[in-house]
Amino acid sequence: MTFTNLTRALALALAAAAMSLPAHADSVASSASSAGSASSGSISDSIGGSSNSSHGDNRRAETGPYRVIDVAQAPAKAGVTRITLRAAAGDAATEFWVDVPDRALADRRVDKGQIVQVNERVYGYEFAYGDTRKPFFLALQDDWYRELASRKVTI
């Protein structure tokens, strides 16, 4: 192969790679967005029913272990599981529910009687399996959640 043919072949390969970049970027962004939405949601759409909040806010949870007292299909939300939790220690009257996308529970379900660890974070609440402490869902403050919304990027 002559130097000119080698240069031409290299230029064609680079051009082909450059042409595929936008499609690749779209698929990467789409995958990241799908993964994020499967394991997170806004607090206002995901948490409710606190029966004992000193703040008068039914979208608050306290850090600590919670026993799962019910697992059911979330009302009027296809593909979403409602997990009802009750404090396992301290104020056992504290009870609330969290709506979790089924995709977030695809690898491991949460069953009645199990312990879920709830951790308050600067961005919202982290819900983790009690035995492994591995998070399975993040309930994000609404402003944080809005920042994660998918936006089309042009390169």
Side-chain angles (χ1 to χ4, degrees), residues 51-130:
S51 61
N52 187 20
S53 173
S54 59
H55 303 284
D57 179 0
N58 69 349
R59 304 217 188 274
R60 290 187 51 85
E62 300 296 326
T63 294
Y66 288 80
R67 183 157 313 278
V68 177
I69 59 171
D70 191 38
V71 178
Q73 171 68 40
K77 292 183 180 179
V80 177
T81 296
R82 177 163 289 178
I83 301 170
T84 305
L85 302 168
R86 181 177 295 144
D91 186 0
T94 301
E95 186 176 303
F96 67 96
W97 51 258
V98 58
D99 287 346
V100 179
D102 291 345
R103 294 175 298 177
L105 301 170
D107 290 339
R108 180 178 173 194
R109 294 199 37 81
V110 173
D111 295 316
K112 189 174 178 177
Q114 288 183 320
I115 296 292
V116 168
Q117 177 66 36
V118 178
N119 297 308
E120 188 169 6
R121 304 289 189 210
V122 66
Y123 50 77
Y125 298 99
E126 172 191 81
F127 293 83
Y129 299 105

Side-chain angles (χ1 to χ4, degrees), residues 3-72:
F3 181 73
T4 306
N5 287 344
L6 181 59
T7 305
R8 188 174 297 141
L10 182 57
L12 286 172
L14 288 173
M19 288 174 30
S20 69
L21 280 178
H24 179 68
D26 285 348
S27 66
V28 169
S30 174
S31 296
S33 172
S34 296
S37 65
S39 58
S40 67
S42 70
I43 286 176
S44 61
D45 289 339
S46 302
I47 297 178
S50 178
S51 61
N52 187 20
S53 173
S54 59
H55 303 284
D57 179 0
N58 69 349
R59 304 217 188 274
R60 290 187 51 85
E62 300 296 326
T63 294
Y66 288 80
R67 183 157 313 278
V68 177
I69 59 171
D70 191 38
V71 178

